[in-house]
Amino acid sequence: EIVVPGSVIQAIEGIDIGPDGMIYGTSIHAQAVYRIDPDTGFVTVAVPSPYGESDDVAVGPKGTPVEGLLAWTAQTTGEIRIQRPGGMPEVLMGDVPRVNPIAFNKDGRLFTAQSGAGENALWELDVIGNEPPRLVAKNKGRLNGFGFGPDGRLYAPHFGTNELFAIDVDTGVFDVIAEGVGTTAATKADANGDVWNVDYMTGDLWVTD
């Protein structure tokens, strides 16, 4: 007798929307990357356990050489993993303890950061495989769920504080654009340039124009 049926989704950590319109969600606990149809609610497993161990996910944007490519951070293992359309999971970069957020910009450049490990480094990774990982910045604070804005800057929470960063990924310059917006944990910028963030402690949603 089933007393409580198992959930289709276990503990979503990070989400992104792919060029196919699907929502991709990550789960450290289930060690899986889920594919969720926002219209029907139908859920499938895009990357199964154990390869799908993931804290955050990014999907290559439409019209770029990485369109539809999945990239995710295996925080416990300390790896950035990818899966090309129709392919199998690969390790893009290893030996990156506490790797956490990950995001593509509109041109398909991929960025990730270590949060709470040593120098709290921000990296750019070459998915095509022509260049080694590039260190963008280090010792600037812990970053968590981040995303690019329409101005091309990377918007990120200064995790564990009440500050938001706007980061120039070419120069490594970090600007504090807001303070007093709760205990920041995840940040996204919309098409208008408004910056949204969630308070990790209270669940409040903030917007900075």
Side-chain angles (χ1 to χ4, degrees):
E1 179 183 358
I2 298 175
V3 180
V4 180
S7 172
V8 177
I9 297 176
Q10 299 181 40
I12 291 291
E13 294 280 342
I15 60 173
D16 197 15
I17 298 175
D20 56 0
M22 297 294 105
I23 298 171
Y24 291 83
T26 63
S27 176
I28 292 176
H29 302 285
Q31 295 192 324
V33 179
Y34 299 110
R35 182 188 298 107
I36 305 159
D37 188 321
D39 295 322
T40 66
F42 188 69
V43 178
T44 56
V45 176
V47 186
S49 174
Y51 310 107
E53 175 210 329
S54 49
D55 184 82
D56 198 10
V57 64
V59 189
K62 189 174 183 178
T64 69
V66 295
E67 179 176 339
L69 181 145
L70 288 178
W72 65 96
T73 50
Q75 186 183 88
T76 303
T77 307
E79 294 178 343
I80 294 97
R81 299 172 182 167
I82 62 171
Q83 182 167 291
R84 305 175 197 277
M88 297 294 292
E90 309 169 34
V91 176
L92 181 63
M93 183 180 181
D95 193 23
V96 276
R98 303 293 299 171
V99 65
N100 192 318
I102 193 165
F104 284 103
N105 76 354
K106 64 180 179 61
D107 299 319
R109 294 168 63 187
L110 182 62
F111 295 84
T112 190
Q114 294 169 265
S115 180
E119 298 174 332
N120 291 315
L122 174 64
W123 298 91
E124 179 177 6
L125 304 178
D126 179 11
V127 179
I128 304 302
N130 296 327
E131 301 292 339
R134 178 178 75 91
L135 179 63
V136 177
K138 62 181 180 180
N139 294 323
K140 298 285 190 177
R142 296 172 62 193
L143 304 180
N144 209 344
F146 53 34
F148 284 89
D151 61 355
R153 292 193 294 176
L154 180 62
Y155 288 87
H158 187 182
F159 191 42
T161 76
N162 65 358
E163 297 179 337
L164 301 180
F165 287 134
I167 305 166
D168 186 320
V169 294
D170 293 317
T171 65
V173 172
F174 282 51
D175 292 320
V176 175
I177 61 160
E179 296 177 288
V181 288
T183 306
T184 58
T187 303
K188 300 291 181 182
D190 64 25
N192 297 320
D194 295 331
V195 181
W196 300 79
N197 74 280
V198 292
D199 184 329
Y200 181 70
M201 299 303 295
T202 67
D204 289 341
L205 177 64
W206 292 75
V207 61
T208 303
D209 66 22

